């Protein structure tokens, strides 16, 4: 006999008293009613929601039902909406309804209400932020102009709602034509072509010319440059720059020839910008020509990704003076991020400036991340576990459990509404102190929501519990299979923490499944190799998933010099890519990790390896050297490159 609701199943298995069982059955009925109301909203059946609401007044998610019933009033200055926002001020249901109210009122042109409600938003989405700033900019609010300028200067993918705000900036004289060209250049470099069109429309720039104008620049840049010849005014220079940037983004090799042929009429900064995009793309391709392009780009300001790759190219070439120069040319906050603090320190050290290097390392030493651990080791230490915080008390746990946001998040998880539960949980953690965060982490762990336990424990500032940050669930399965495959348990746990955060039914957007995010094709291949037959849903079974995942880890490790950095990259992006990303010369493991072309894999490898440091420290009491673990990546060779490919 099976039961549709886990709560009922647990109650019957435990033989709970009839009264408690009745409560549980009543709770299940309310849950089912909530899901019906949720479906009704999706189908536009608000009348049905009103019919169901009386059964949901005591449900943890009742505020959402109340907000759904207020949707017909979004187009008016509704007293009921104002009462709801006051009742739930500071909570996520109020934030979402206020955002929808602002959107509806902005479309009606009620800018007074938009301005009034906009300043009350706590974490506005980009479109709501633009709506909220627009009336303030029109009224000459200098602080609003500054905020809007930041959106203009740093953003590349603004929603349509921001068009009115940017028009207001232009009308108020807060933008110049040069600001528009700089933004459009950045957008073309990031392949945001429609956004570039919108940017130039804000500037009222006339981009139609005999060579074909902006359409030709973006769709046929080579033809445009041939027709244009030598640019003879500022608009033509900027259009030629956009055409070259467009080529550099897609065909950097061709862009080199085009820049040499057509770039003589451009300003020095325009030429350097194009070289910077060429260097970025050649760097991703790990081309030997990347270094020359990077050097020709000078220190011109580029999109963040291109700025980072300028340094990665120099790192791969071990040109420490160029590493230093390019990091020092970075704007804030980039220059203060741990990776660039660390590599600037390394560049100082390579140039014999030991005191300057030490000053850099001290800025991030002790941080529980990849570069914080490496900086600690550069100063002669090892990663340490902080003093264990006192466990959350029963009263601390009760107080956090009573918080409406926590109760709503747990209810969403109970209803298998994980994406909504994640958002509600994150909202509930806002502003919590360390003791509250530790209590929240304990609550999530008790409810077997390990990923949310980690998210809460990760946020503490002074009091820490690394057993909650780096938990070891499913230990019997993971230890057994790790031993069977002769794998380092800390590395297995470090990889699993990054893959799924220990969510057994996790599924990625490309189909990877379970604790170790095994791809279906990979799982089938491994199963066939070891003589196991897979049935439907087996990839989500923790024991089967760990068996297949650890077997694949061993096979990958053996095929890649038994090097955990290469194997970690391979687990995420495939063995062929991990092999291809090596250099023609031996490469420091940290440099290999930092110069992985895929941003997801680059971040993944660094986190897996630093996770492994903390897991080993927790498991053994001894902190390993991350630098030793990273080791040296052997160069490419005909022998290794011809090894049989794994899936």
């Amino acid at each position: 006999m099976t039961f549709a609701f886990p709560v009922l199943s647990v109650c019957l298995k435990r033989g709970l008293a009839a009264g408690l069982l009745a409560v549980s059955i009543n709770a299940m009925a309310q849950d089912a009613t909530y899901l019906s109301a949720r479906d009704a909203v999706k189908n536009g059946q608000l009348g049905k929601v009103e019919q169901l609401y009386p059964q949901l007044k005591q449900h943890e998610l009742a505020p959402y039902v109340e907000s759904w019933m207020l949707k017909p009033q979004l187009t008016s200055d509704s007293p009921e909406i104002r009462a709801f926002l006051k009742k739930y001020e500071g909570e996520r249901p109020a934030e979402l309804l206020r955002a929808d109210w602002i959107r509806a009122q902005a479309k009606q042109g009620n800018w007074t209400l938009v301005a009034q409600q906009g300043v009350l938003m706590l974490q506005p989405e980009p479109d709501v932020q633009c709506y909220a700033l627009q009336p303030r900019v029109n009224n000459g609010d200098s602080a609003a102009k500054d905020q809007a300028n930041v959106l203009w200067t740093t953003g590349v993918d603004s929603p349509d709602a921001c068009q009115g705000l940017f028009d207001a900036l232009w009308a108020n004289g807060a933008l110049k034509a040069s600001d528009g060209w700089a933004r459009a250049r950045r957008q073309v470099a990031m392949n945001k072509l429609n956004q570039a069109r919108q940017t130039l429309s804000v500037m009222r720039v006339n981009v139609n010319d005999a060579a074909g104008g902006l359409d030709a620049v973006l769709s046929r840049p080579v033809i445009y440059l041939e027709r244009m010849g030598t640019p003879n005014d500022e608009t033509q220079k900027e259009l030629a720059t956009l055409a070259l940037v467009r080529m550099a983004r897609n065909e950097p090799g061709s862009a080199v020839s085009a820049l040499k042929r057509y770039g003589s009429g451009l300003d020095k900064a325009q030429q350097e910008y194009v070289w910077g995009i060429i260097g970025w793309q050649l760097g991703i391709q790990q081309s030997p020509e990347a270094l020359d392009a990077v050097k020709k780009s000078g220190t011109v300001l580029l999109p963040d990704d291109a700025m980072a790759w300028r340094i990665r190219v120099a790192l791969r070439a071990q040109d420490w003076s160029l590493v230093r120069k390019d990091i020092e040319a970075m704007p804030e906050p980039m220059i203060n991020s741990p990776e660039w603090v660390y590599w600037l320190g390394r560049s100082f050290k390579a140039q014999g400036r030991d005191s300057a290097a030490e000053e850099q390392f001290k800025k991030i030493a002790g941080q529980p991340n990849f570069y914080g651990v490496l900086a600690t080791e550069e100063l002669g230490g090892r990663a340490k576990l902080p003093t264990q915080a006192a466990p959350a008390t029963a009263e601390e746990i009760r107080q956090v459990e009573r918080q409406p946001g926590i109760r709503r998040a747990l209810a969403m998880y109970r209803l298998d509404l994980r994406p909504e539960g994640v958002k509600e949980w994150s909202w509930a953690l806002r502003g919590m102190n360390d003791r509250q965060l530790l209590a929240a982490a304990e609550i999530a762990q008790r409810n077997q929501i390990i990923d949310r336990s980690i998210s809460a424990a990760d946020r503490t500032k002074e009091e820490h519990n690394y057993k909650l940050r780096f938990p070891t669930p499913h230990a019997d399965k993971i230890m057994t299979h790790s031993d069977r495959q002769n794998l380092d348990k800390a590395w297995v746990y470090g990889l699993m923490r990054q893959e799924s955060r220990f969510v057994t039914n996790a599924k990625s957007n490309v189909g990877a499944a379970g604790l170790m995010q095994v791809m279906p094709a990979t799982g089938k291949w491994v199963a066939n190799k070891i003589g196991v037959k897979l049935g439907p849903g087996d990839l989500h079974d923790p024991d089967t998933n760990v068996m297949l995942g650890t077997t694949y880890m061993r096979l990958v490790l053996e095929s890649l010099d038994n090097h955990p950095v290469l194997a970690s990259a391979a687990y995420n992006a495939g063995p062929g890519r991990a092999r291809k990303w090596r250099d023609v010369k031996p490469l420091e493991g940290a440099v290999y990790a930092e110069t992985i072309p895929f941003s997801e894999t680059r971040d993944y490898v660094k986190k897996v390896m630093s996770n492994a440091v903390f897991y080993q420290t927790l498991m053994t009491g001894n902190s390993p050297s991350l630098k030793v673990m990273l080791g040296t990546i052997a160069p490419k060779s005909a022998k290794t490159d011809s090894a049989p490919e794994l899936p």
Side-chain angles (χ1 to χ4, degrees):
M1 181 177 183
T2 59
F3 300 97
F5 297 96
V7 174
L8 177 57
S9 178
V10 170
C11 288
L12 293 180
K13 285 179 181 177
R14 294 180 181 175
L16 298 183
L20 181 55
L21 180 56
V23 171
S24 299
I25 293 174
N26 182 56
M28 278 195 315
Q30 287 193 24
D31 282 353
T33 302
Y34 175 81
L35 292 174
S36 295
R38 183 173 175 272
D39 289 340
V41 172
K42 288 183 178 180
N43 296 325
Q45 300 171 322
L46 294 181
K48 183 176 179 181
V49 176
E50 292 183 6
Q51 293 174 6
L52 295 173
Y53 175 66
Q55 304 171 49
L56 294 168
K57 287 185 177 180
Q58 304 305 314
H59 197 274
E60 299 99 323
L61 301 178
Y64 282 105
V65 184
E66 293 173 29
S67 72
W68 298 337
M69 293 190 297
L70 291 171
K71 284 184 177 292
Q73 301 182 42
L74 290 173
T75 56
S76 65
D77 187 348
S78 163
E80 288 84 359
I81 290 179
R82 290 184 181 275
F84 178 91
L85 296 178
K86 183 177 181 180
K87 179 180 179 181
Y88 296 109
E89 189 64 52
E91 298 182 36
R92 188 164 180 268
E95 179 84 352
L96 295 181
L97 185 65
R98 178 173 276 124
D100 285 344
W101 200 23
I102 289 170
R103 291 183 181 105
Q105 293 296 313
K107 289 174 182 176
Q108 290 189 312
N110 187 355
W111 295 109
T112 300
L113 190 148
V114 169
Q116 175 195 77
Q117 294 298 318
V119 296
L120 300 176
M121 290 294 298
L122 300 175
Q123 288 184 348
E125 294 291 325
D127 65 324
V128 173
Q129 186 179 15
C130 286
Y131 282 140
L133 287 172
Q134 186 174 334
R136 295 172 56 198
V137 168
N138 280 327
N139 291 333
D141 185 325
S142 58
K145 285 184 181 179
D146 290 342
Q147 292 177 55
N149 262 311
V150 170
L151 294 178
W152 176 271
T153 303
T154 60
V156 295
D157 198 7
S158 303
D160 291 342
C162 294
Q163 194 75 4
L165 171 65
F166 296 150
D167 284 337
L169 280 179
W170 174 256
N172 280 274
L175 295 174
K176 306 184 294 294
S178 59
D179 299 320
W181 289 117
R183 179 176 165 86
R185 194 182 301 164
R186 188 168 64 251
Q187 288 167 325
V188 172
M190 300 300 292
N191 264 343
K192 302 292 184 180
L193 305 187
N194 288 334
Q195 294 287 342
R197 296 176 194 276
Q198 292 176 1
T199 291
L200 295 183
S201 73
V202 168
M203 313 308 295
R204 313 294 193 270
V205 174
N206 180 10
V207 293
N208 295 315
D209 61 16
L214 188 60
D215 286 339
V217 165
L218 299 181
S219 59
R220 301 179 300 280
V222 177
I223 294 174
Y224 176 83
L225 290 167
E226 288 176 351
R227 288 178 178 172
M228 181 197 66
T230 302
N232 53 31
D233 61 30
E234 285 305 314
T235 298
Q236 286 191 355
K237 284 184 181 181
E238 293 290 358
L239 287 172
T241 302
L242 290 183
L244 288 164
V245 168
R246 176 73 171 140
M247 288 186 68
R249 187 65 169 81
N250 296 321
E251 300 177 27
S254 300
V256 171
S257 301
L259 180 56
K260 291 176 179 177
R261 183 176 179 185
Y262 302 110
S264 60
L266 304 184
D267 296 338
K268 181 174 182 287
Q270 292 169 328
Q271 293 181 38
E272 288 179 339
Y273 194 95
V274 178
W275 279 118
I277 305 305
I278 291 171
W280 168 25
Q281 294 305 307
L282 290 177
I284 288 175
Q285 295 175 10
Q286 297 183 342
S287 166
E289 285 77 37
L291 184 63
D292 181 61
V294 163
K295 289 179 176 178
K296 288 178 178 176
S297 73
T299 56
V300 68
L301 188 65
L302 299 168
D304 288 356
D305 284 352
M307 297 276 286
W309 270 101
R310 195 153 60 184
I311 296 155
R312 292 184 184 119
V313 167
L315 273 175
R316 204 164 171 93
Q318 295 293 280
D319 188 333
W320 291 106
S321 62
L322 187 58
V323 169
R324 178 189 58 77
K325 177 178 73 71
D326 285 336
I327 293 177
E328 290 180 335
M330 280 182 158
E332 293 185 4
M334 279 189 78
I335 196 173
N336 294 320
S337 64
E339 60 263 52
W340 309 128
V341 170
Y342 174 78
W343 288 119
L344 182 57
R346 285 287 304 277
S347 73
F348 286 144
K349 186 174 180 178
Q351 295 176 314
R353 298 174 58 184
D354 291 346
S355 60
E358 186 174 318
E359 184 179 340
Q360 288 296 116
F361 296 140
K362 284 180 177 177
K363 291 179 182 179
I364 58 172
Q367 292 183 9
N369 56 51
F370 185 79
Y371 285 113
V373 174
L374 286 176
T376 300
E377 293 187 20
E378 290 290 342
L379 295 171
R382 291 283 178 88
K384 291 182 180 179
L385 299 180
T387 302
Q388 177 88 346
T393 66
E395 180 56 31
E396 287 172 330
I397 290 172
R398 276 194 295 270
Q399 288 181 4
V400 172
E401 279 180 325
R402 293 190 192 110
Q403 293 191 18
I406 295 293
R407 293 174 57 204
R408 284 194 293 268
L410 294 177
M412 288 170 173
Y413 273 91
R414 184 179 72 232
L415 292 168
D416 200 26
L417 302 175
R418 176 172 289 274
E420 295 171 46
V422 169
K423 293 175 183 177
E424 187 74 44
W425 182 265
S426 297
W427 185 271
L429 298 188
R430 294 167 58 258
M432 282 190 178
N433 61 36
D434 284 356
R435 298 305 303 171
Q436 292 170 317
L437 288 169
L438 291 173
E442 183 65 35
I443 291 165
Q445 189 178 70
R446 291 180 182 183
N447 284 273
Q448 298 181 5
I449 312 173
I450 305 299
D451 60 319
R452 294 306 93 200
S453 178
I454 293 171
S455 79
D458 266 347
R459 297 187 185 207
T460 58
K461 304 296 184 187
E462 302 294 336
E463 296 192 57
H464 306 294
N465 185 331
Y466 270 49
K467 289 183 179 179
L468 290 173
R469 284 195 185 197
F470 298 94
T472 54
H474 310 286
D476 55 340
K477 301 175 182 65
I478 294 167
M479 297 300 183
T480 298
H481 288 297
S482 297
D483 285 340
R484 190 170 294 160
Q485 300 300 332
N486 196 26
L487 294 174
D488 176 12
K489 300 176 184 66
W491 179 47
V492 174
Y493 262 114
L495 183 142
M496 197 178 302
R497 183 183 191 268
Q498 191 58 28
E499 282 288 350
S500 67
R501 285 292 196 270
F502 308 107
V503 178
T504 57
N505 63 347
K507 188 172 183 178
S508 75
N509 55 9
V510 294
L515 287 169
M516 299 195 71
Q517 289 291 277
V518 178
M519 291 292 290
T522 303
K524 184 177 180 180
W525 180 85
V526 174
N528 287 338
K529 193 170 184 67
I530 61 177
V532 173
K533 187 175 180 180
L534 288 183
D538 279 356
L539 282 184
H540 285 290
D541 172 68
D543 191 55
T544 303
N545 190 277
V546 173
M547 175 189 66
L548 295 172
T550 52
T551 302
Y552 185 68
M553 284 180 75
R554 176 181 57 79
L555 293 170
V556 167
L557 187 65
E558 290 176 349
S559 74
L560 289 165
D561 305 334
N562 285 303
H563 202 303
V565 171
L566 288 172
S568 298
Y571 197 93
N572 181 262
R577 292 192 179 101
R579 196 174 288 118
K580 176 185 175 183
W581 294 334
R582 293 173 305 171
D583 205 346
V584 295
K585 61 183 181 301
L587 203 62
E588 179 186 340
V591 173
Y592 175 91
E594 184 55 59
T595 58
I596 289 172
F598 293 179
S599 57
E600 177 190 316
T601 307
R602 185 168 58 250
D603 181 65
Y604 174 92
V605 169
K606 289 189 271 189
K607 286 181 176 174
V608 167
M609 297 307 296
S610 59
N611 286 349
V613 169
F614 290 106
Y615 270 113
Q616 188 164 326
T617 306
L618 282 164
M619 290 173 177
T620 68
N622 296 315
S623 181
S625 166
L626 177 56
K627 197 162 188 176
V628 169
M629 291 169 63
L630 296 173
T632 300
I633 306 298
K636 298 176 181 179
S637 71
K639 180 180 178 181
T640 55
D641 288 351
S642 62
E645 188 59 84
L646 300 179

